[in-house]
Amino acid sequence: MRNRLLQAFREILYPSYCLVCHVKIPMGDSKGSICQRCRDSIIPFNPPFCRKCGRTIKKAAFGENLCGECETIHFFFERAWTGYPYEDTLKEAIHHFKYNHKPSLGSFLSGLLIRFVSDYHIPLTQCDYLIPIPLAQAKLREREFNQARVLAINLSRHFGLPVVDNALYRRRNTASQTGLDRSSRWKNIQGAFGVNNQEAVKNKRVLLVDDVLTTGATASEAARALKGAGAQAVFVVTIAG
Ligand SMILES: [Zn+2]
Ligand SMILES: [Zn+2]
């Protein structure tokens, strides 16, 4: 009783506002920093999914299950699963999560990812373990947390797969991929990853975890490093794409 009263006072004194649309979040909405309306506006990709990048195929020709982009690009991963379109509410939520030190959004975003994986029966548990896409040391110091690691830990808790975060590393601090055009993104990220624990990787089926799959260049380069170290297969899961 006393706790509930205290909580009510706290909500009156410090009301919380939706990070995306800025409306006041009603009392008792324990989900926190994104309002119900914004949460409901995030709709997952619909099948048919591209068998390589996981995004919805807009116009599937009979028997085709690759999107236009994946027909021309070679990815080093076997396939990616991407939950939701990277736009509007979700784009803003991910931005707050990454750049404005809003780690509290991590559980909301992880929840979205878990829901997608469960609803579409994505066979994550066929992998041996999860690897979050690592940040370069300098970026990790600046941001203080790795958003991909937060997602990986929450996925791991939910699906019972271990997280291995001492096998893959960033060799160098690449320029941000944001704002680069398609071909610069591929060039910028080339050779950015290394493996420092071959034993952990050899003959394993690895699931890479990241927040967003844009061109797929980052995930593909990470997969290239893992395959080079003997990984049997590399899959990718991201919230948005
Ligand atoms: Zn809102
Ligand atoms: Zn595709």
Side-chain angles (χ1 to χ4, degrees):
M1 180 65 189
R2 192 162 167 266
N3 279 349
R4 247 189 291 159
L5 261 176
L6 275 176
Q7 178 65 21
F9 275 125
R10 214 171 286 138
E11 284 176 0
I12 292 165
L13 288 173
Y14 310 105
S16 54
Y17 294 89
C18 174
L19 281 173
V20 176
C21 71
H22 311 292
V23 303
K24 195 159 135 187
I25 295 178
M27 281 199 274
D29 184 344
S30 58
K31 295 260 168 62
S33 31
I34 308 251
C35 76
Q36 180 75 49
R37 220 179 103 179
C38 285
R39 293 203 299 268
D40 291 347
S41 73
I42 302 173
I43 313 281
F45 277 121
N46 274 318
F49 299 129
C50 169
R51 71 174 153 81
K52 199 74 196 182
C53 74
R55 287 177 275 221
T56 299
I57 303 176
K58 297 208 172 68
K59 255 198 303 181
F62 181 72
E64 268 302 328
N65 49 9
L66 274 182
C67 75
E69 282 179 47
C70 290
E71 272 175 349
T72 55
I73 300 171
H74 172 74
F75 290 118
F76 283 89
F77 51 77
E78 329 303 319
R79 70 164 299 169
W81 294 288
T82 311
Y84 306 78
Y86 186 48
E87 57 190 26
D88 308 328
T89 304
L90 182 58
K91 193 170 181 176
E92 251 189 85
I94 289 175
H95 188 89
H96 280 291
F97 174 44
K98 268 162 83 164
Y99 299 109
N100 302 338
H101 294 277
K102 292 278 180 211
S104 60
L105 278 176
S107 57
F108 166 67
L109 293 170
S110 303
L112 281 181
L113 187 54
I114 289 166
R115 197 168 75 203
F116 170 76
V117 170
S118 307
D119 287 356
Y120 287 96
H121 307 287
I122 309 291
L124 297 195
T125 47
Q126 287 178 13
C127 296
D128 293 300
Y129 54 74
L130 310 166
I131 294 187
I133 295 278
L135 289 178
Q137 280 305 320
K139 200 169 273 179
L140 187 60
R141 271 197 299 275
E142 175 194 319
R143 201 178 284 174
E144 293 174 359
F145 77 110
N146 175 359
Q147 75 280 358
R149 189 163 185 276
V150 174
L151 300 172
I153 287 171
N154 286 321
L155 275 180
S156 151
R157 280 191 193 131
H158 192 91
F159 295 104
L161 276 176
V163 174
V164 171
D165 58 5
N166 62 354
L168 184 71
Y169 71 101
R170 283 253 184 179
R171 287 179 199 274
R172 54 188 165 83
N173 195 5
T174 48
S176 166
Q177 295 281 77
T178 317
L180 294 179
D181 65 30
R182 190 159 285 275
S183 71
S184 312
R185 278 178 184 240
W186 280 93
K187 242 180 259 155
N188 181 44
I189 201 78
Q190 222 171 65
F193 296 95
V195 169
N196 49 8
N197 186 349
Q198 286 217 332
E199 269 316 295
V201 168
K202 218 172 145 196
N203 299 324
K204 291 291 196 276
R205 296 168 67 82
V206 178
L207 179 66
L208 285 168
V209 182
D210 207 357
D211 51 348
V212 184
L213 184 109
T214 318
T215 53
T218 305
S220 184
E221 276 303 306
R224 188 217 293 260
L226 291 164
K227 291 270 185 80
Q232 185 197 102
V234 179
F235 300 88
V236 182
V237 69
T238 65
I239 306 176

